[in-house]
Amino acid sequence: MADDVQHKDGASASHRGVDGGQERPPGRIEEADFVTRNEEEDLKRGLSQRHISLQVSHGVSSSLKATNAAQNRYSRRNRLFLGLGGSIATAGPLGSLLGYAVIGLIVCCVQFALGEVTALLPVTSSFVRHAEFLIDPAAGFAVGYNLVYGNFLSIPTEISAICVLFQYWTDLNSSVWIIAIIVLTFAVGMSSIRVYGEVEFGFALLKIVFIIFLILLGLVIDLGGVPGTPRIGFRYWKSPGPFVEYIAIGSWGRFLGFWSVMSSAVFSFAGVESIAMAAAETKNPRRAIPRACKRVFARVSIFYVLAVLVVGMLVSSDDERLNDESGTAAQSPFVIAASAAGLKGIPSLVNAIVITSAWSSANQALLSGTRVLYGLALKKQAPSIFLRTTSWGVPYVCVILQTAFMFLAFMTLSSSALTVFWWLVDLVACGVLISWITILTNHWRLLAAMRVQDVPVSLLPWHSKWTEWSTPAALVMCIIILFTSGFSVFTTGNWSASTFVSSYLDIALVTTAYLLWKFIKRTKIVSLADIPLMEAFERAAQDQEPEKVVPGWRKWVGFLWD
């Protein structure tokens, strides 16, 4: 796969289209989604290669469960440490493994598509602005506000999860933890982008080490490496079996179990698409972001597929403890296996790591939400006040607005307000799939425009041949999953208003926003022949920076991210 990747240090291009030599309409380049003067002058390039590369791993593994006594709900990044057991109980060890493997492949397709487009257009708010450039300005508006709303509500859900996790150790009033996390998140959000990068870099390293530790621990327990513990092997794959029937019986029931896990696994990977949100604040983004995207395949294999395999070996799919609704480390399949082996201290360790994961997810949501809002303001789709930045390059008005939304976390302290809060969250529950569909559509439109304008793919700053077929395949899969994610509500006796809303209402909201902006601004779908590709290639050629050679021990340590 790596052999197919091409890096271009320069490419000759002009403002004339290669499909006939016609001059582009004057002023079109200024209307296009290239890096603006605001981004160049007001933002700071403080994120380096190592920050971006580990953010991919961090996004993939930012998984925790937001659960409470009144509502048993999953946050969007909630499955690796605590929630994998639920997948095993629903689909069985093999069904879960296949489900996560398929979604892992889709994630790789999404990341490669994002990397190729971002290498050409490294702008703030990433695929939101790409959609305006490659599809329709109304598409950028609709997807952008969907992301803003989703990220603004994401932080209160993470704070709610942290409160539940702390209850594992103490009965201290949750208000204390809410205020503490709001202050800490606001402090990181108002700091320079480099501070954010260093904080997330530290969390990512900690999480990677911990995941590897849990996988190795699981293998040791499974193989009988703990004194007094018998070897388990693949015992649970034989009895109760590799698959679990879900809703129906027989082969159809086993397939529905697999499909249910695949649909929910999408939200385990929420956040991987945010890697390019701060492209204009990244050093040499045309190299750094694609390089980070390229490494997602191996990390998905390690962090999820291998973890699901080990969990399926450790715990039986009919173990009642997998349905524990405490929301703390007690429900983790790793903790269940470690407790059975007589290993103490593992529950507290898992709980502590999940707390850091929750706070890290809040930081990522703050960065993504504020940069998308800033990008919308750049395109005059949001008030210009959101363009105001500090002297160190932080869009502080955007940060202040999102911080105000963090106080919605206090709604989780009231049983009546809690219901309203979760309905607000459910409105954009399928936003992850909509974002992935947008990324894949952007890339598909880019390649289609290049064919129409007779532009060779060799001009792309970064390209992999497999994306020419992987993007349409992943796009079809994402659309199918989007429309079938709530299939259970249409089966006899399983109707759930909240599940229906979380599965489908966001589709209507995004469609309404798209049509509304299209009607007000009378926008049109951009013709493939009119997309100013050559101007983009010219800028890409001008922006190339020489790659720095890292000497000594840092080169060997840097294999994790370089």
Side-chain angles (χ1 to χ4, degrees):
M1 186 182 303
D3 295 337
D4 293 334
V5 177
Q6 304 166 1
H7 288 278
K8 302 298 176 185
D9 293 328
S12 61
S14 68
H15 292 285
R16 294 183 180 274
V18 297
D19 55 340
Q22 296 297 319
E23 189 77 24
R24 295 293 182 192
R28 181 68 177 101
I29 188 172
E30 299 303 327
E31 298 172 6
D33 259 312
F34 303 117
V35 177
T36 63
R37 181 175 299 176
N38 291 81
E39 292 167 279
E40 291 177 341
E41 296 179 356
D42 298 338
L43 302 179
K44 307 296 181 183
R45 293 191 181 275
L47 292 178
S48 65
Q49 175 70 59
R50 62 187 176 90
H51 297 141
I52 293 297
S53 290
L54 285 194
Q55 187 175 326
V56 175
S57 307
H58 201 25
V60 169
S61 57
S62 292
S63 305
L64 50 132
K65 193 172 187 213
T67 313
N68 50 69
Q71 298 280 343
N72 179 22
R73 303 292 182 94
Y74 282 94
S75 84
R76 298 181 183 182
R77 306 176 178 96
N78 71 352
R79 303 189 68 85
L80 185 57
F81 293 134
L82 302 184
L84 282 183
S87 297
I88 300 297
T90 300
L94 182 55
S96 298
L97 183 63
L98 292 175
Y100 272 87
V102 171
I103 298 303
L105 286 174
I106 292 175
V107 169
C108 293
C109 298
V110 170
Q111 289 297 94
F112 268 68
L114 178 62
E116 288 196 11
V117 181
T118 303
L120 183 64
L121 301 168
V123 294
T124 300
S125 73
S126 181
F127 59 89
V128 175
R129 299 258 297 280
H130 298 163
E132 177 161 349
F133 180 75
L134 296 165
I135 305 174
D136 186 335
F141 173 84
V143 175
Y145 273 101
N146 189 63
L147 275 168
V148 168
Y149 180 83
N151 280 293
F152 276 28
L153 287 181
S154 178
I155 299 181
T157 64
E158 304 297 349
I159 294 175
S160 172
I162 291 173
C163 293
V164 173
L165 291 163
F166 270 113
Q167 290 174 7
Y168 185 76
W169 294 313
T170 177
D171 293 330
L172 190 64
N173 193 292
S174 295
S175 299
V176 175
W177 305 119
I178 293 176
I179 293 296
I181 298 303
I182 289 176
V183 171
L184 287 172
T185 306
F186 176 75
V188 173
M190 288 297 293
S191 301
S192 68
I193 191 67
R194 181 174 179 82
V195 171
Y196 164 83
E198 296 296 348
V199 169
E200 291 302 295
F201 180 79
F203 280 140
L205 281 179
L206 177 65
K207 193 176 302 181
I208 289 171
V209 170
F210 185 64
I211 292 170
I212 294 174
F213 165 75
L214 286 181
I215 291 173
L216 293 177
L217 175 64
L219 288 174
V220 169
I221 295 174
D222 182 77
L223 297 175
V226 178
T229 302
R231 182 180 182 277
I232 302 174
F234 283 90
R235 178 191 309 169
Y236 300 128
W237 285 55
K238 298 177 181 178
S239 178
F243 291 97
V244 171
E245 296 175 347
Y246 179 67
I247 296 180
I249 60 174
S251 299
W252 180 239
R254 290 189 288 272
F255 172 79
L256 291 181
F258 153 75
W259 194 264
S260 176
V261 166
M262 192 167 68
S263 299
S264 62
V266 167
F267 303 102
S268 305
F269 295 92
V272 294
E273 68 279 357
S274 65
I275 181 178
M277 285 301 178
E281 298 168 82
T282 303
K283 299 175 183 177
N284 199 0
R286 298 186 194 275
R287 287 185 181 273
I289 293 176
R291 182 175 291 175
C293 291
K294 188 173 65 173
R295 281 155 176 73
V296 73
F297 184 82
R299 290 166 182 171
V300 164
S301 301
I302 295 173
F303 297 146
Y304 269 100
V305 177
L306 189 55
V308 175
L309 174 63
V310 171
V311 167
M313 295 164 63
L314 288 175
V315 185
S316 173
S317 59
D318 58 2
D319 193 316
E320 294 183 357
R321 291 172 295 180
L322 295 177
N323 296 317
D324 186 289
E325 297 184 357
S326 66
T328 65
Q331 70 182 113
S332 169
F334 293 105
V335 170
I336 293 173
S339 299
L343 300 177
K344 299 180 179 179
I346 297 298
S348 291
L349 181 60
V350 171
N351 210 58
I353 296 297
V354 174
I355 288 174
T356 65
S357 175
W359 184 42
S360 171
S361 296
N363 290 334
Q364 288 185 0
L366 181 63
L367 180 77
S368 181
T370 54
R371 270 48 179 189
V372 171
L373 184 57
Y374 180 86
L376 290 171
L378 283 175
K379 305 305 296 180
K380 298 182 180 180
Q381 294 173 337
S384 60
I385 190 174
F386 294 116
L387 293 176
R388 296 184 181 181
T389 59
T390 63
S391 59
W392 54 90
V394 174
Y396 67 91
V397 179
C398 297
V399 173
I400 291 172
L401 177 62
Q402 187 159 357
T403 301
F405 274 79
M406 295 182 199
F407 288 90
L408 289 176
F410 282 101
M411 294 178 67
T412 62
L413 303 182
S414 166
S415 58
S416 57
L418 181 64
T419 302
V420 177
F421 174 76
W422 282 115
W423 272 87
L424 292 174
V425 173
D426 281 344
L427 293 180
V428 288
C430 64
V432 178
L433 280 168
I434 291 175
S435 295
W436 291 2
I437 289 171
T438 303
I439 292 170
L440 294 165
T441 303
N442 289 339
H443 183 254
W444 176 74
R445 291 271 300 177
L446 173 63
L447 295 182
M450 294 181 72
R451 287 193 294 269
V452 168
Q453 299 182 29
D454 196 24
V455 179
V457 293
S458 59
L459 282 184
L460 287 170
W462 184 76
H463 178 65
S464 176
K465 292 181 180 179
W466 87 307
T467 60
E468 296 174 25
W469 60 266
S470 65
T471 288
L475 179 59
V476 170
M477 283 297 297
C478 283
I479 293 174
I480 293 174
I481 295 171
L482 175 65
F483 284 100
T484 60
S485 60
F487 73 88
S488 62
V489 301
F490 301 110
T491 59
T492 304
N494 289 306
W495 170 257
S496 169
S498 61
T499 301
F500 177 81
V501 168
S502 63
S503 299
Y504 299 111
L505 186 59
D506 197 26
I507 302 173
L509 293 177
V510 172
T511 303
T512 301
Y514 172 78
L515 294 175
L516 184 65
W517 190 257
K518 195 171 186 65
F519 175 77
I520 294 174
K521 297 296 182 178
R522 299 186 182 279
T523 66
K524 296 181 179 180
I525 296 177
V526 182
S527 170
L528 294 176
D530 291 336
I531 296 174
L533 294 178
M534 298 313 298
E535 288 89 335
F537 291 132
E538 181 180 8
R539 292 207 177 192
Q542 294 172 351
D543 291 346
Q544 287 291 346
E545 300 177 17
E547 189 169 8
K548 296 181 180 179
V549 178
V550 180
W553 63 270
R554 287 184 297 174
K555 180 178 180 180
W556 293 101
V557 176
F559 83 94
L560 286 171
W561 50 84
D562 290 335

